[in-house]
Amino acid sequence: MNIFDRAREKEKSYHEKLYEEAVLFEPGSWLAKPVQTVLDYLDLLPFPDLRVLDLGCGVGRNSIPVAQRIQSGNGQVICVDLLPSAIDKLVQYAALYGVSSSIEALAADVEHYEIAEATYHYIITCSCLEHLSSEEAFVCKVKQMQAGTVDQGIHCIMMSTEVKEIDRKTGLEEKGLIELNLSTERAFSILDELYSEWEILTRRQVQQDIQEVKEGRDVLFRSQWMTFTARKGGDGPW
């Protein structure tokens, strides 16, 4: 099994276990609340009938709060995730929170999911693009996202870079097992170039540490958490 396949299997196993054990919006995991940045930029989109694409949606951590906010205007959130089990949970949570009519959920590999052109006002990728197979696939997917966005639409990209795994007992540090482990500098460089004709709204990074138990060892997964948001060109009302 090559590195990509090993990383993919690890990520699938981790997320399936988390989604089975943790309850959406209950304390105790990162599923406890949506990413505030996602909601903040949603408020900058004064379009009727908002169409939102959430790539790597999981069980609806961001999709459901977004749907709640845009439901009254007949908005729609298209939710895509690799795991059928996550999509099943999302459908259940959407019903629980009364937003089933505003959510369209499907299981698909984001890398191969075709984004319809000039369709979306808002595209969210939270912990998604670092799970593509290569830098080339990363560039290709962002270009698809751009083509799929209407004028004055916004992209909200959040991803982990420079992922490391630290044994908390020995202090031994090694490269983290993840599909696409870009340096922060390289990731920003790619995005800066791809979005050179867009208005960049946010460009920041913070260190993120997640404690886990791996094969009986206490492990610290450390990464640089990037946030990059941009608005498609044109003279908007802002």
Side-chain angles (χ1 to χ4, degrees):
M1 186 180 293
N2 62 31
I3 292 176
F4 173 82
D5 289 336
R6 285 173 52 214
R8 176 55 58 88
E9 287 305 310
K10 168 181 167 287
E11 291 296 329
K12 287 170 64 176
S13 176
Y14 166 76
H15 284 91
E16 284 175 340
K17 185 173 186 292
L18 174 70
Y19 297 152
E20 186 62 34
E21 296 177 351
V23 177
L24 185 65
F25 303 138
E26 288 192 2
S29 77
W30 50 263
L31 295 175
K33 58 183 180 180
V35 177
Q36 188 60 43
T37 300
V38 171
L39 301 181
D40 289 344
Y41 284 101
L42 177 66
D43 292 339
L44 294 181
L45 292 162
F47 295 97
D49 302 332
L50 272 172
R51 286 188 63 82
V52 179
L53 177 62
D54 188 356
L55 297 174
C57 61
V59 296
R61 174 193 183 192
N62 295 309
S63 303
I64 288 174
V66 168
Q68 289 174 324
R69 291 200 181 194
I70 68 176
Q71 188 175 35
S72 62
N74 295 317
Q76 195 76 12
V77 188
I78 287 71
C79 309
V80 182
D81 198 89
L82 177 69
L83 297 176
S85 58
I87 293 300
D88 289 343
K89 287 272 190 181
L90 170 58
V91 170
Q92 294 170 26
Y93 284 130
L96 177 65
Y97 286 96
V99 293
S100 294
S101 63
S102 297
I103 282 183
E104 178 184 329
L106 63 152
D109 187 335
V110 166
E111 183 166 333
H112 304 295
Y113 173 73
E114 292 295 326
I115 300 173
E117 291 191 13
T119 299
Y120 298 100
H121 303 100
Y122 195 31
I123 298 183
I124 305 159
T125 67
C126 183
S127 296
C128 173
L129 298 181
E130 63 267 49
H131 299 298
L132 301 181
S133 63
S134 66
E135 188 175 302
E136 291 74 24
F138 176 81
V139 170
C140 182
K141 184 53 56 177
V142 171
K143 287 182 177 179
Q144 284 185 17
M145 290 163 52
Q146 291 176 328
T149 306
V150 302
D151 192 42
Q152 292 299 308
I154 291 177
H155 287 180
C156 186
I157 296 171
M158 292 156 289
M159 62 184 292
S160 296
T161 56
E162 299 182 15
V163 179
K164 302 174 183 177
E165 183 179 304
I166 303 168
D167 189 305
R168 300 188 69 203
K169 183 177 181 180
T170 66
L172 184 64
E173 180 179 301
E174 58 186 32
K175 191 172 183 180
L177 184 61
I178 193 169
E179 294 93 327
L180 182 60
N181 199 357
L182 293 174
S183 71
T184 309
E185 181 181 7
R186 180 58 182 156
F188 272 134
S189 176
I190 293 170
L191 293 174
D192 287 341
E193 181 175 350
L194 290 172
Y195 287 90
S196 61
E197 296 183 5
W198 290 46
E199 178 189 359
I200 296 175
L201 304 171
T202 309
R203 188 185 186 281
R204 65 170 179 260
Q205 70 189 77
V206 295
Q207 181 173 292
Q208 178 175 261
D209 290 341
I210 299 175
Q211 297 182 25
E212 292 186 14
V213 176
K214 179 182 179 183
E215 299 172 348
R217 298 180 297 126
D218 287 330
V219 172
L220 190 68
F221 286 96
R222 174 168 291 169
S223 67
Q224 295 297 316
W225 177 248
M226 288 176 47
T227 300
F228 187 96
T229 63
R231 181 163 48 214
K232 198 165 188 176
D235 298 319
W238 297 279

